[in-house]
Amino acid sequence: MLSAINILSPFMALAMLIGFALCLVSLVRAMGGRRKIPYISISFLLVPLLFFLLSKVAIVKVLNEKLADLEVKVTVSPSIASNPKPVLQEVISNLYQWKGSSGTRPSDRPYVFDVCLHGDCFTANIAQDSDDPRMYWVSYEPFMGTIPLGYTRLAYDKI
């Protein structure tokens, strides 16, 4: 499942940009009275949006399942004091989807967790919040780009 998301993410991002441009042009034309409501352009934009919303749920579910497997190896860069696999399991299991507007952002130096099973590796980034030292932003890195998964709170001694 994660391999499919890795492959489809760049194409869906491109489709979302094209759909946004088509919607904007169609809405301007519709406001001028030259066209009807742009249903095709709107649907062209909605498909990639649904993909990214559903992919967040799928990524979290698959990562939870993969981390429960005993054969999965987890490495982290830069290294942390504790075992990275239980830390990543706690982060993924305590993930909040919606933070709301807070004015904070993730730091520029994320911890890069590589989850590997039988040669297939997936990358999750965990970056400390710019304001709250106990809050961490979690994202998944497919083939190209980044998909934000949410945020979590950790005890001070975890990372």
Side-chain angles (χ1 to χ4, degrees), residues 63-73 85 89 117-118:
L63 282 176
N64 266 331
E65 291 172 0
K66 294 250 186 226
L67 289 171
D69 191 350
L70 296 176
E71 294 180 16
V72 169
K73 304 290 184 224
K85 187 174 180 179
Q89 282 177 319
L117 176 66
H118 305 298

Short mmCIF file of all heavy atoms in Angstrom, two decimals, residues 63-73 85 89 117-118:
data_model
loop_
_atom_site.label_atom_id
_atom_site.label_comp_id
_atom_site.label_asym_id
_atom_site.label_seq_id
_atom_site.Cartn_x
_atom_site.Cartn_y
_atom_site.Cartn_z
N LEU A 63 1.74 1.91 8.77
CA LEU A 63 2.90 2.05 9.65
C LEU A 63 2.66 1.38 11.00
O LEU A 63 3.56 0.75 11.55
CB LEU A 63 3.27 3.52 9.83
CG LEU A 63 4.03 4.17 8.69
CD1 LEU A 63 4.24 5.65 8.95
CD2 LEU A 63 5.36 3.48 8.46
N ASN A 64 1.45 1.50 11.55
CA ASN A 64 1.13 0.79 12.80
C ASN A 64 1.27 -0.71 12.64
O ASN A 64 1.82 -1.39 13.51
CB ASN A 64 -0.30 1.13 13.25
CG ASN A 64 -0.33 2.27 14.21
OD1 ASN A 64 0.61 2.51 14.95
ND2 ASN A 64 -1.43 3.00 14.20
N GLU A 65 0.76 -1.24 11.52
CA GLU A 65 0.87 -2.69 11.28
C GLU A 65 2.31 -3.11 11.08
O GLU A 65 2.74 -4.14 11.60
CB GLU A 65 0.04 -3.07 10.05
CG GLU A 65 -1.44 -2.95 10.26
CD GLU A 65 -2.24 -3.15 8.98
OE1 GLU A 65 -1.62 -3.38 7.91
OE2 GLU A 65 -3.48 -3.05 9.05
N LYS A 66 3.07 -2.34 10.32
CA LYS A 66 4.47 -2.69 10.06
C LYS A 66 5.31 -2.64 11.33
O LYS A 66 6.16 -3.49 11.55
CB LYS A 66 5.07 -1.75 9.02
CG LYS A 66 4.46 -1.88 7.66
CD LYS A 66 5.43 -2.49 6.72
CE LYS A 66 4.82 -2.46 5.33
NZ LYS A 66 4.95 -3.71 4.66
N LEU A 67 5.06 -1.66 12.17
CA LEU A 67 5.85 -1.53 13.40
C LEU A 67 5.55 -2.64 14.40
O LEU A 67 6.36 -2.93 15.28
CB LEU A 67 5.62 -0.16 14.04
CG LEU A 67 6.25 1.00 13.27
CD1 LEU A 67 5.78 2.33 13.86
CD2 LEU A 67 7.75 0.90 13.28
N ALA A 68 4.39 -3.29 14.29
CA ALA A 68 4.06 -4.41 15.16
C ALA A 68 4.82 -5.68 14.76
O ALA A 68 4.97 -6.59 15.57
CB ALA A 68 2.56 -4.66 15.14
N ASP A 69 5.31 -5.74 13.53
CA ASP A 69 6.06 -6.89 13.03
C ASP A 69 7.44 -6.91 13.69
O ASP A 69 8.14 -5.90 13.75
CB ASP A 69 6.19 -6.80 11.52
CG ASP A 69 6.73 -8.07 10.90
OD1 ASP A 69 7.18 -8.97 11.64
OD2 ASP A 69 6.70 -8.18 9.66
N LEU A 70 7.85 -8.10 14.17
CA LEU A 70 9.14 -8.22 14.85
C LEU A 70 10.33 -8.11 13.91
O LEU A 70 11.43 -7.76 14.33
CB LEU A 70 9.20 -9.56 15.60
CG LEU A 70 8.19 -9.73 16.73
CD1 LEU A 70 8.28 -11.13 17.32
CD2 LEU A 70 8.40 -8.67 17.80
N GLU A 71 10.14 -8.39 12.62
CA GLU A 71 11.24 -8.35 11.66
C GLU A 71 11.56 -6.94 11.17
O GLU A 71 12.56 -6.74 10.50
CB GLU A 71 10.91 -9.24 10.47
CG GLU A 71 10.82 -10.71 10.82
CD GLU A 71 10.51 -11.56 9.60
OE1 GLU A 71 10.66 -11.06 8.47
OE2 GLU A 71 10.12 -12.71 9.80
N VAL A 72 10.74 -5.98 11.48
CA VAL A 72 10.94 -4.62 11.01
C VAL A 72 12.10 -3.99 11.77
O VAL A 72 12.20 -4.07 13.00
CB VAL A 72 9.66 -3.78 11.21
CG1 VAL A 72 9.92 -2.31 10.99
CG2 VAL A 72 8.59 -4.25 10.27
N LYS A 73 12.99 -3.37 11.02
CA LYS A 73 14.12 -2.64 11.59
C LYS A 73 13.88 -1.15 11.43
O LYS A 73 13.48 -0.68 10.36
CB LYS A 73 15.42 -3.01 10.87
CG LYS A 73 15.72 -4.48 10.88
CD LYS A 73 16.09 -4.96 12.25
CE LYS A 73 16.47 -6.43 12.19
NZ LYS A 73 15.91 -7.22 13.24
N LYS A 85 12.43 2.11 17.54
CA LYS A 85 11.19 1.44 17.17
C LYS A 85 10.06 1.73 18.15
O LYS A 85 8.96 2.13 17.73
CB LYS A 85 11.42 -0.06 17.01
CG LYS A 85 10.20 -0.79 16.47
CD LYS A 85 10.52 -2.24 16.19
CE LYS A 85 9.32 -2.98 15.66
NZ LYS A 85 9.62 -4.38 15.36
N GLN A 89 6.64 3.83 17.36
CA GLN A 89 5.33 3.22 17.63
C GLN A 89 4.48 4.14 18.49
O GLN A 89 3.28 4.31 18.23
CB GLN A 89 5.50 1.88 18.34
CG GLN A 89 5.90 0.75 17.43
CD GLN A 89 6.13 -0.54 18.19
OE1 GLN A 89 6.72 -0.55 19.27
NE2 GLN A 89 5.71 -1.64 17.58
N LEU A 117 11.68 -3.38 5.99
CA LEU A 117 11.25 -4.77 6.10
C LEU A 117 11.52 -5.44 4.75
O LEU A 117 10.94 -5.04 3.74
CB LEU A 117 9.75 -4.86 6.45
CG LEU A 117 9.15 -6.26 6.49
CD1 LEU A 117 9.77 -7.07 7.63
CD2 LEU A 117 7.65 -6.19 6.68
N HIS A 118 12.40 -6.42 4.75
CA HIS A 118 12.74 -7.20 3.55
C HIS A 118 13.18 -6.30 2.38
O HIS A 118 12.75 -6.48 1.25
CB HIS A 118 11.58 -8.08 3.11
CG HIS A 118 11.09 -8.99 4.18
ND1 HIS A 118 11.87 -9.96 4.75
CD2 HIS A 118 9.88 -9.06 4.79
CE1 HIS A 118 11.16 -10.61 5.66
NE2 HIS A 118 9.96 -10.08 5.71
#
